Amino acid sequence: MLEKFFENAMWKTRLFVLLPVIFGLIGAIILFIVASVDIFEVLVYTVDVYLNGLHPENFHEEIVSKIIGAVDLYLIAVVMLIFAFGIYELFISKIDAADDGKTGNNILAIHSLDQLKDKIAKVIVMVLIVSFFQKVLHTSYDGALQMLYFALSIGILSVGLFFLGKVGKH
């Protein structure tokens, strides 16, 4: 009797996982909104520049940097979504709406903790690459050695992405 009560109570504690699921979804929605507002601000700024015939210095670098920053936020929001969906499916229940047969291959379907970890890791690597690209845009290159470092870093990122694409495809 005591064992059954304890096991039932212990099983129900898994419902605390709903907290990170709910707040993960809220965080993802916030990031999607903030990134979209950032893109909209770039649009307004670009239209203003062209309509008024302005020629600001570093105009292209500035808008590309802001758009890349927004893409970075979108990717982090995707990490939050994958995390929330994965935790929910692992600890609470399978999401029936996602398995209706109409959507085909469901990218958010998670069947194990390792699968969740792999999906999150891949998106985090993409976030880091986008952040790197954003930093590179604001770097000035004064010599051949700095250009060599830049080329090497791009090569290393490319090799890393190649092997990351091979993960899970046995």
Side-chain angles (χ1 to χ4, degrees):
M1 170 84 172
L2 184 60
E3 178 184 1
K4 185 172 179 125
F5 172 77
F6 181 75
E7 286 176 358
N8 283 334
M10 191 169 70
W11 179 247
K12 289 181 181 177
T13 60
R14 81 187 197 293
L15 296 176
F16 280 107
V17 168
L18 287 174
L19 289 173
V21 169
I22 291 167
F23 288 106
L25 291 173
I26 291 170
I29 291 168
I30 290 170
L31 288 172
F32 281 127
I33 291 169
V34 169
S36 297
V37 168
D38 288 352
I39 295 285
F40 183 75
E41 288 174 354
V42 169
L43 173 67
V44 170
Y45 175 62
T46 304
V47 168
D48 180 53
V49 164
Y50 283 115
L51 287 180
N52 293 317
L54 304 173
H55 300 286
E57 189 175 331
N58 299 325
F59 173 69
H60 295 103
E61 292 86 358
E62 192 175 327
I63 61 171
V64 168
S65 177
K66 288 180 182 180
I67 290 173
I68 290 172
V71 168
D72 203 23
L73 291 178
Y74 284 135
L75 286 172
I76 295 169
V78 168
V79 169
M80 298 295 291
L81 277 180
I82 292 171
F83 173 76
F85 276 71
I87 292 295
Y88 184 87
E89 283 199 342
L90 288 176
F91 288 93
I92 306 298
S93 171
K94 188 173 181 178
I95 300 172
D96 297 330
D99 199 31
D100 63 359
K102 297 176 186 172
T103 56
N105 188 7
N106 187 0
I107 192 168
L108 296 176
I110 307 292
H111 304 293
S112 71
L113 202 52
D114 281 339
Q115 190 180 25
L116 175 62
K117 180 186 71 169
D118 288 344
K119 285 186 179 190
I120 289 175
K122 286 179 180 179
V123 179
I124 287 174
V125 168
M126 289 307 300
V127 167
L128 293 173
I129 290 171
V130 169
S131 296
F132 172 77
F133 182 59
Q134 188 177 21
K135 300 272 187 280
V136 166
L137 285 176
H138 297 292
T139 303
S140 60
Y141 302 100
D142 299 329
L145 187 60
Q146 289 179 336
M147 290 300 290
L148 177 65
Y149 290 152
F150 176 62
L152 285 173
S153 63
I154 290 174
I156 291 169
L157 285 174
S158 299
V159 169
L161 278 177
F162 172 77
F163 285 116
L164 190 63
K166 297 290 184 188
V167 172
K169 295 180 182 175
H170 303 282

